[in-house]
Amino acid sequence: MHTGEIIRFYREKAGLTQSQLGEGICTTTHVSKIERGKTAYSDDIISLFSERLGIDIHHEITSFHQVEKQLQLWHNSIIMRRMNLVEQMKSELEKSPFLESSKYGAYYHLLRARYYILHNKDDLSSNILDSIQRGSGPQIPQTAFETNLFYHVQGLIYIRDTTEENQQKAVQILKKINMDEYKNEECHYHLSIAYHCIGNKVMSYFHAGKSLSFFKKTNNYSGAIKAESLMLLQLSSEMYLEFEDLVERYESLIQDSDSLGYLDQKGALLNNLGYEYYNREEFALAKKCFKEALDLAEKESMPYLRRLCNYTDACIEGNLIHSKLIKKHIQYGLSESKSANSTQFTILFELFSLRMDNKSDDYFSYLEKKALPYFFETKNVLLIERFGKVLYEYYVESEEFKKAVQLSNQLMR
């Protein structure tokens, strides 16, 4: 945006015509040429325009020249999760009256979309991308960098959708990013998450490793812990890592998160370690991890609900606490799941409830007609494997061999 564009912006904002602005100063034609950047002008004219418009045009020009640096600082603070600076830069950029109509409009709106994702306001972020995709106004990406930033934000939105279709889209969109043009290797971390969501451990581990190198290079300790956590999620017995070594690495990251005050990461790590213990049927240790993770989550949040579900599950499987207390957790979990409109957790807590009430027939009927069909519909591999096995064994024990064969075929697809 040049000086003439700034003059035009404030002239139109003041409701003046070019003739009214130039009256007693210069001709209407000269005003038009200045606004279009087609002629030279003196400082005296700019000073007279400033007086008539009630602004300091020189100050506005200087301020606008800082916008690109402010946008870059905002972007970097989002990547580094420096939340105080994120909010400060957002507030400062919102004071720029002509930012949206400038050449930085697309960059600004895409960073707004990232900001909303950071605050779990995916609907607002999606609205911004929809506006950009409609191709209207200054929000259309003008540079290769902005196009890649668009792909990055779009990929983030798809990742946060739990359906396999959109998680597959996340991979395809993020793979479009040209790193030579974008130069933000943080996207490797998000590509790792996308691959993790579709079960591709090798590619997830690869991209998590690349993002770990980037985070270490930029002293992004929070990002480094998240990247290494993601790498640990991909490690399993077939990748030749002893369980004791896996636990040791988890405990080291948990300690690092605690000492740095990254309680969100600490909670996520404890929850993941709980899964590892649970999968090895070490339910007492799983319960301990899930409980510590639960205590670090904000009530009524999705992480809290997930960890409550895991904690309750471990207590049931290991018969670790009194049934009355387990039922209390189940009722609370059901209430919270319904409030959050979470079908998955509502189903899981319903299954827990039926099991604790020893309603075997109702349990397997609910599993057959409601739970497993939903897990297949949402393509939740972990829940399909777990509860598919339970229902299959029930069919065999009940001598419902036709149903057992049908389910077996479904499970092998």
Side-chain angles (χ1 to χ4, degrees):
M1 178 175 280
H2 53 71
T3 303
E5 290 176 297
I6 293 174
I7 292 170
R8 184 179 68 234
F9 176 87
Y10 279 108
R11 174 181 63 76
E12 292 175 348
K13 184 179 180 181
L16 299 176
T17 64
Q18 289 179 336
S19 176
Q20 289 170 326
L21 177 61
E23 186 177 353
I25 300 174
C26 63
T27 65
T28 302
T29 301
H30 197 54
V31 172
S32 176
K33 288 182 177 180
I34 290 173
E35 289 188 348
R36 289 181 288 120
K38 298 297 184 181
T39 188
Y41 48 82
S42 67
D43 284 342
D44 289 342
I45 286 180
I46 297 302
S47 296
L48 290 169
F49 282 171
S50 293
E51 184 178 344
R52 184 157 292 173
L53 292 170
I55 61 167
D56 183 343
I57 293 177
H58 289 297
H59 173 74
E60 297 297 331
I61 294 168
T62 301
S63 296
F64 186 74
H65 287 163
Q66 298 298 314
V67 163
E68 184 172 9
K69 290 182 180 178
Q70 289 178 315
L71 287 168
Q72 290 172 348
L73 182 56
W74 194 26
H75 193 184
N76 189 59
S77 64
I78 289 172
I79 294 170
M80 298 291 288
R81 297 298 192 271
R82 293 173 177 164
M83 298 311 297
N84 288 340
L85 188 55
V86 167
E87 299 301 334
Q88 178 187 331
M89 296 313 304
K90 176 179 181 290
S91 178
E92 289 185 15
L93 286 163
E94 286 175 342
K95 294 175 184 176
S96 177
F98 34 72
L99 175 56
E100 293 189 36
S101 58
S102 74
K103 66 179 181 179
Y104 301 116
Y107 190 10
Y108 172 63
H109 284 290
L110 287 167
L111 290 185
R112 282 179 62 232
R114 277 219 63 176
Y115 172 85
Y116 287 132
I117 290 173
L118 196 60
H119 287 278
N120 298 311
K121 297 180 179 178
D122 294 7
D123 54 337
L124 296 179
S125 183
S126 294
N127 289 342
I128 291 172
L129 291 200
D130 288 344
S131 174
I132 291 174
Q133 286 181 305
R134 286 195 297 270
S136 57
Q139 297 178 13
I140 303 170
Q142 302 291 330
T143 66
F145 171 83
E146 290 169 354
T147 298
N148 286 299
L149 177 55
F150 176 87
Y151 291 147
H152 195 174
V153 177
Q154 190 176 39
L156 284 171
I157 291 173
Y158 281 132
I159 285 174
R160 293 160 70 90
D161 191 305
T162 57
T163 63
E164 186 184 25
E165 179 184 0
N166 280 337
Q167 288 167 351
Q168 288 279 4
K169 285 182 181 178
V171 171
Q172 298 307 315
I173 291 293
L174 292 170
K175 282 171 63 178
K176 288 184 178 182
I177 294 174
N178 184 320
M179 285 305 307
D180 292 333
E181 298 170 345
Y182 192 41
K183 303 186 187 304
N184 174 18
E185 295 179 75
E186 177 207 23
C187 64
H188 285 296
Y189 174 71
H190 298 124
L191 190 51
S192 175
I193 293 175
Y195 275 119
H196 171 70
C197 289
I198 64 172
N200 190 329
K201 290 187 174 186
V202 173
M203 291 304 294
S204 180
Y205 190 89
F206 171 76
H207 285 284
K210 291 183 78 69
S211 70
L212 177 61
S213 298
F214 167 70
F215 290 138
K216 284 183 175 179
K217 182 173 62 179
T218 56
N219 296 320
N220 188 337
Y221 305 116
S222 174
I225 289 173
K226 289 180 179 179
E228 193 164 353
S229 304
L230 196 50
M231 293 173 75
L232 287 180
L233 277 178
Q234 314 316 313
L235 295 175
S236 57
S237 57
E238 63 264 27
M239 295 185 78
Y240 312 107
L241 184 70
E242 294 292 335
F243 183 59
E244 292 77 9
D245 294 333
L246 185 66
V247 171
E248 185 177 333
R249 288 178 64 175
Y250 264 113
E251 289 178 343
S252 176
L253 284 177
I254 289 166
Q255 187 175 15
D256 288 344
S257 299
D258 190 46
S259 62
L260 291 168
Y262 299 149
L263 298 185
D264 286 347
Q265 285 93 318
K266 180 182 177 182
L269 284 161
L270 283 164
N271 190 63
N272 291 345
L273 180 56
Y275 275 127
E276 297 293 343
Y277 282 127
Y278 183 96
N279 290 336
R280 289 163 177 80
E281 298 185 1
E282 297 186 35
F283 299 119
L285 290 171
K287 168 183 171 284
K288 181 177 180 293
C289 289
F290 289 142
K291 182 62 169 66
E292 289 184 45
L294 181 62
D295 290 341
L296 291 170
E298 183 180 349
K299 280 199 171 185
E300 299 182 3
S301 68
M302 194 55 66
Y304 185 89
L305 186 58
R306 182 176 295 107
R307 294 169 195 179
L308 177 63
C309 183
N310 295 337
Y311 173 75
T312 306
D313 194 5
C315 289
I316 294 172
E317 291 296 330
N319 193 24
L320 298 173
I321 61 175
H322 196 279
S323 61
K324 286 185 178 180
L325 188 53
I326 291 180
K327 288 180 180 181
K328 183 178 179 181
H329 288 316
I330 291 171
Q331 290 309 309
Y332 181 76
L334 271 172
S335 175
E336 289 298 302
S337 299
K338 290 173 182 176
S339 295
N341 293 318
S342 172
T343 304
Q344 176 178 308
F345 288 115
T346 299
I347 287 173
L348 289 172
F349 279 109
E350 287 284 7
L351 286 170
F352 296 159
S353 179
L354 292 168
R355 180 175 172 182
M356 289 303 299
D357 289 338
N358 295 314
K359 297 180 177 178
S360 179
D361 290 343
D362 292 340
Y363 176 87
F364 287 108
S365 176
Y366 186 80
L367 184 55
E368 177 186 54
K369 296 176 181 177
K370 177 72 174 181
L372 206 53
Y374 179 77
F375 300 151
F376 275 116
E377 179 187 340
T378 55
K379 299 182 180 178
N380 191 315
V381 176
L382 291 176
L383 294 179
I384 290 170
E385 288 179 354
R386 174 183 172 181
F387 289 101
K389 180 181 178 182
V390 171
L391 188 58
Y392 175 81
E393 290 175 351
Y394 170 75
Y395 286 151
V396 172
E397 289 176 8
S398 304
E399 298 185 359
E400 298 182 66
F401 298 119
K402 184 176 181 181
K403 285 186 176 181
V405 171
Q406 290 174 340
L407 178 57
S408 178
N409 291 334
Q410 273 187 290
L411 295 173
M412 290 189 294
R413 286 175 189 169

